[in-house]
Amino acid sequence: MPAFASSILHPTSLRLCRAQRLTGLYRHVSTKPYYITTPIFYPNASPHIGHLYSLVTADVFARYHRLQGRDVRFLAGTDEHGLKIQKASRAHFGEAGREKEFCDSLSQRFRDLGKKANISNTCFMRTTDANHKRAVHDIWKQLDSKGFIYKGKYSGWYSITDESFYTDSQVTTTTNAKGEQITTSLETGAVVEWCSEENYMFRLSSFRDALISHYSSNTTSVYPPQYRDDVLQMLGATTESTSSSVLPELADISISRPRSRLEWGVQVPGDPQHTVYVWFDALLIYLSGSGYPWASLSSDQPGLPEGWPADLQIIGKDILRFHAIYLPAILLALSSPSSSSISSPPRIPLARTILTHAHWTSEQKKMSKSLGNVADPLASMDKWSVDLVRYYLMRIGGRWRGDVDWSERQVDNHSQEIQSQLGNYLLRITSKKITKRAEGVELADGMNSLSPAIRHVFNGTTPSETEYNANLLALVRALPGKVQVHMDSWEVALALDEIIHVLKYANKGVTEIAPWSASCDAQTVFETRLVGLEAVRVVGGCLEPIMPNTAQKIRDMFAIHENIFENTAEKDGEAGLRTLWDRWYGRKVDGVKLFEIQRPA
């Protein structure tokens, strides 16, 4: 089966669900494709802003790594099995048996969201796809043959909302206003109910030591670090924030439901009376989405040519347990010869980094249909534009660590920030008055006519504080490298901080210089325009992963299609000065409105 074989979301992709080798602007630098995944969304309701947040986060890193020359394979999709879907479908149609039809409609909403938000995924997988079902059956049979699956009596707590089983230590019982006792999950707050049934069980308890070893020795296995600590605490390991006396049980987990209770799902191989548990089924989509069972499965590096392991998995903090414990345990089991012999290190490697983000609130309150405060991502993009919403999500949410607030006032404020700092700055330096004065400058010695402060930037000399153009040029030359450091550390908000810092200095400088004023000499006008254009070019390139439409407008306006991340080490000395001079001297630039709404200059 070809890798990434499924339907496509992104309009520029080909019909096969596979990443295309990049040519021209981007250079291929690694034999292993860069594999990035979003959570597999559960389409029991319309997409909300949290879904868009996960998609944009993954897309930002996918675009960034393409600019690094990587062959990027980017998976998104929908998790379409389970009791919630079964109940919702039957409530909608008034009859059983139409779950697939129900999912077809709901899944399309997530495709539409991705298309609207300019998400560049190369693959859109559904757990109802035939290729995925084959992968689930293959993995189940392997784990069963190795003794990792057994049939047993399961008694415990189950949440229909979370589609998740919980132990006694993972729930709490409280009394509501009516005096009724309510038991809920400690992790999610969802109501749970007691169930007792004969299910197939997975020997999760066999992998506690191996998982602790993995997360203890791989400091970037889960990011930010606070979530890695959470995983180690779930496993009972001691961290700086936990006590050795906290030793929660890592119990075996149920991985099936009786078909009498759950019909809508993948049937357990060889047992028509049981359905594969929805989370076990859904987690395997990251493997089926990379073409599992791989042609390279029996090689020394199984899955590597097809993209496995995942380089970056984007998830919300509420599903950390499933992605950081359950899926890795399944991979460890697949790698091991039997349940009595756990392979270390595993033949099939675990995901390299799980980037875990917090949640969005609305006006400082949890988003809830009953409160009527659920932010509609499609309406938001219609109101503010795709790029401005993407910018806000990353500007505010790109630190990942704590819950962040969706506020229309804040969206307005941050939209105005980038419109003013970038959009209006561009219109200022490309105004007809400044352009006319700059084009009329006579520079007999060519680039050597530039001021010493400008020329000395290429020799590493620090300009004086009053040399605004030279200081701006120095900041601009350093910007791609600074952005790259933050992006390589998954800190998108810090990368944006660097970009905004440069733009604020650029605006301050042009205000101080006042190149439109008759008192400003012609050479300073020329240099202000030259350095300003270079600043916009570099900023636009740095923003490309986050605001791709805006970056494209800048490239088209300048008719310069250089990859800003191709070589972040700027040329020094005369070669660097020559590159800057040749890029801008004599170039005609007509400023354009980068955003639909511009604040007054």
Side-chain angles (χ1 to χ4, degrees):
M1 179 176 64
F4 289 78
S6 184
S7 52
I8 294 298
L9 177 61
H10 193 249
T12 60
S13 301
L14 299 182
R15 285 178 292 177
L16 287 179
C17 192
R18 55 187 173 86
Q20 302 303 305
R21 194 158 303 274
L22 302 166
T23 57
L25 177 62
Y26 310 121
R27 37 188 185 87
H28 182 59
V29 297
S30 174
T31 55
K32 179 197 175 298
Y34 187 90
Y35 186 25
I36 184 169
T37 68
T38 69
I40 304 304
F41 303 125
Y42 202 71
N44 62 318
S46 296
H48 53 68
I49 209 71
H51 297 122
L52 180 61
Y53 179 43
S54 294
L55 283 168
V56 169
T57 298
D59 187 62
V60 165
F61 287 106
R63 290 177 180 275
Y64 171 71
H65 283 282
R66 289 192 189 105
L67 289 167
Q68 296 288 310
R70 297 297 298 272
D71 174 5
V72 174
R73 305 190 180 185
F74 173 10
L75 177 141
T78 43
D79 169 14
E80 301 177 11
H81 292 137
L83 197 56
K84 278 192 294 186
I85 292 288
Q86 179 176 293
K87 287 186 172 183
S89 174
R90 294 178 183 184
H92 179 77
F93 289 115
E95 60 180 318
R98 300 179 68 179
E99 289 84 1
K100 180 62 164 59
E101 180 182 350
F102 184 68
C103 289
D104 287 344
S105 173
L106 292 175
S107 181
Q108 187 60 46
R109 297 181 189 179
F110 288 86
R111 292 172 180 266
D112 293 342
L113 176 65
K115 183 177 181 179
K116 176 82 171 180
N118 203 5
I119 305 301
S120 63
N121 59 295
T122 59
C123 177
F124 191 94
M125 286 287 290
R126 302 171 60 185
T127 55
T128 52
D129 289 344
N131 288 346
H132 174 68
K133 290 181 181 179
R134 282 194 291 271
V136 172
H137 278 174
D138 181 271
I139 291 169
W140 183 287
K141 290 175 182 177
Q142 285 200 58
L143 298 186
D144 187 32
S145 68
K146 295 176 179 183
F148 288 108
I149 295 176
Y150 64 95
K151 207 168 190 179
K153 185 80 171 181
Y154 175 80
S155 295
W157 301 98
Y158 186 76
S159 165
I160 295 176
T161 301
D162 297 338
E163 296 276 15
S164 179
F165 295 98
Y166 293 105
T167 63
D168 287 339
S169 64
Q170 295 171 327
V171 301
T172 184
T173 300
T174 56
T175 303
N176 65 15
K178 297 179 180 180
E180 301 168 329
Q181 286 195 327
I182 304 294
T183 304
T184 57
S185 162
L186 286 169
E187 285 187 50
T188 67
V191 174
V192 298
E193 59 184 29
W194 184 262
C195 72
S196 182
E197 56 194 30
E198 186 178 55
N199 290 340
Y200 286 94
M201 308 291 290
F202 174 65
R203 298 187 189 278
L204 182 66
S205 57
S206 300
F207 302 100
R208 179 175 180 164
D209 290 345
L211 291 171
I212 289 176
S213 175
H214 171 71
Y215 291 115
S216 297
S217 60
N218 293 279
T219 57
T220 59
S221 53
V222 181
Y223 193 83
Q226 70 193 62
Y227 296 117
R228 176 172 159 267
D229 285 349
D230 289 345
V231 173
L232 286 167
Q233 186 172 9
M234 292 176 196
L235 294 167
T238 303
T239 68
E240 292 180 2
S241 59
T242 64
S243 167
S244 58
S245 63
V246 180
L247 294 172
E249 178 187 3
L250 188 64
D252 292 349
I253 57 172
S254 172
I255 56 171
S256 76
R257 301 295 312 272
R259 205 135 183 103
S260 58
R261 295 192 180 188
L262 176 61
E263 297 177 44
W264 180 239
V266 178
Q267 179 189 306
V268 169
D271 189 344
Q273 302 304 313
H274 280 263
T275 302
V276 176
Y277 170 45
V278 61
W279 265 107
F280 184 91
D281 164 14
L283 288 169
L284 301 182
I285 206 166
Y286 304 117
L287 299 178
S288 63
S290 64
Y292 185 93
W294 306 301
S296 61
L297 190 57
S298 60
S299 72
D300 292 338
Q301 296 179 313
L304 193 73
E306 294 86 356
W308 193 264
D311 293 273
L312 190 64
Q313 290 196 283
I314 310 298
I315 65 165
K317 64 180 181 180
D318 56 322
I319 54 176
L320 181 59
R321 174 183 297 274
F322 302 99
H323 289 78
I325 295 180
Y326 294 178
L327 178 57
I330 293 169
L331 293 171
L332 288 166
L334 278 175
S335 298
S336 301
S338 69
S339 59
S340 60
S341 178
I342 308 301
S343 295
S344 181
R347 284 188 63 252
I348 300 174
L350 310 189
R352 289 177 175 171
T353 299
I354 302 172
L355 178 60
T356 309
H357 62 67
H359 294 158
W360 283 84
T361 58
S362 180
E363 305 292 348
Q364 306 300 325
K365 295 179 181 178
K366 183 178 180 180
M367 289 191 188
S368 166
K369 290 181 182 178
S370 61
L371 295 175
N373 66 347
V374 177
D376 182 342
L378 294 170
S380 297
M381 289 185 286
D382 284 338
K383 180 175 181 178
W384 285 285
S385 84
V386 171
D387 270 16
L388 290 178
V389 169
R390 288 173 63 113
Y391 174 78
Y392 177 69
L393 290 172
M394 293 298 98
R395 185 85 166 107
I396 299 303
R399 289 176 170 81
W400 326 122
R401 290 159 177 80
D403 290 350
V404 283
D405 194 56
W406 179 271
S407 157
E408 291 204 356
R409 179 177 59 84
Q410 288 299 323
V411 180
D412 277 335
N413 288 345
H414 287 284
S415 295
Q416 290 170 4
E417 172 186 55
I418 192 66
Q419 289 177 61
S420 175
Q421 298 297 337
L422 176 57
N424 286 335
Y425 176 72
L426 171 64
L427 293 181
R428 294 170 85 182
I429 62 168
T430 59
S431 68
K432 291 182 179 179
K433 189 170 186 179
I434 292 176
T435 298
K436 184 177 180 180
R437 291 196 67 196
E439 289 178 345
V441 175
E442 294 290 339
L443 298 170
D445 292 334
M447 68 180 189
N448 292 320
S449 299
L450 294 172
S451 66
I454 292 287
R455 287 185 280 115
H456 288 163
V457 168
F458 293 92
N459 296 322
T461 303
T462 302
S464 67
E465 289 186 11
T466 58
E467 296 286 355
Y468 285 106
N469 286 329
N471 276 294
L472 175 58
L473 181 59
L475 287 172
V476 167
R477 280 167 51 80
L479 182 61
K482 291 181 178 180
V483 168
Q484 187 173 28
V485 167
H486 292 308
M487 292 295 289
D488 287 344
S489 302
W490 312 290
E491 295 288 356
V492 180
L494 293 182
L496 282 171
D497 285 347
E498 298 285 1
I499 293 169
I500 293 299
H501 172 70
V502 170
L503 287 172
K504 286 182 175 180
Y505 187 86
N507 279 278
K508 176 184 177 182
V510 79
T511 299
E512 292 290 336
I513 295 168
W516 50 82
S517 170
S519 61
C520 183
D521 65 273
Q523 177 152 340
T524 300
V525 174
F526 175 86
E527 291 180 353
T528 301
R529 179 177 179 273
L530 179 146
V531 174
L533 293 175
E534 178 70 356
V536 172
R537 181 190 75 86
V538 171
V539 164
C542 289
L543 284 172
E544 183 172 348
I546 300 160
M547 306 179 75
N549 293 334
T550 303
Q552 185 64 49
K553 286 182 181 179
I554 291 172
R555 286 197 302 269
D556 291 345
M557 174 184 61
F558 291 150
I560 297 175
H561 297 274
E562 298 175 16
N563 175 3
I564 209 71
F565 295 106
E566 186 78 13
N567 182 7
T568 55
E570 286 282 346
K571 295 178 182 177
D572 292 324
E574 186 173 337
L577 182 61
R578 170 62 66 186
T579 298
L580 178 70
W581 178 263
D582 290 346
R583 181 179 290 136
W584 297 115
Y585 184 69
R587 183 178 291 274
K588 301 290 184 180
V589 176
D590 293 322
V592 299
K593 285 189 176 182
L594 296 178
F595 307 100
E596 295 177 8
I597 301 173
Q598 295 284 339
R599 298 184 70 192

